[in-house]
Amino acid sequence: IYYLRAVVLHLFIGLGYCSSLSEVWGRKIVFHGSMALLFVFNLACALSKTSAQMGIFRFQAGQAGSSPKCIG
């Protein structure tokens, strides 16, 4: 349950600054960059050794996964 909460919490945090980044740099750059980060953080979740690492990486994956919801 904690890991799901971490993702949902950072989805809401990521929405706030993802839209402003897309206005400055453009949608395509922000979208591709966040998808690359989502891949990296999900890979880090798969390779994590402790539950603390898993929680931190899931939290960051939630931020990276928020861009498709934000910039559509």
Side-chain angles (χ1 to χ4, degrees):
I1 297 285
Y2 167 73
Y3 303 119
L4 182 62
R5 264 190 268 162
V7 171
V8 172
L9 176 67
H10 217 296
L11 278 172
F12 290 119
I13 293 171
L15 290 175
Y17 62 86
C18 182
S19 60
S20 58
L21 285 177
S22 68
E23 288 180 9
V24 173
W25 290 334
R27 289 183 180 180
K28 191 174 185 178
I29 294 171
V30 173
F31 183 75
H32 288 302
S34 65
M35 289 298 106
L37 284 175
L38 180 63
F39 174 75
V40 168
F41 287 129
N42 280 331
L43 184 65
C45 286
L47 299 175
S48 64
K49 302 285 185 209
T50 65
S51 61
Q53 289 175 343
M54 179 73 157
I56 291 169
F57 291 136
R58 289 291 291 169
F59 188 73
Q60 295 299 324
Q63 182 270 329
S66 68
S67 73
K69 295 170 185 60
C70 181
I71 59 178

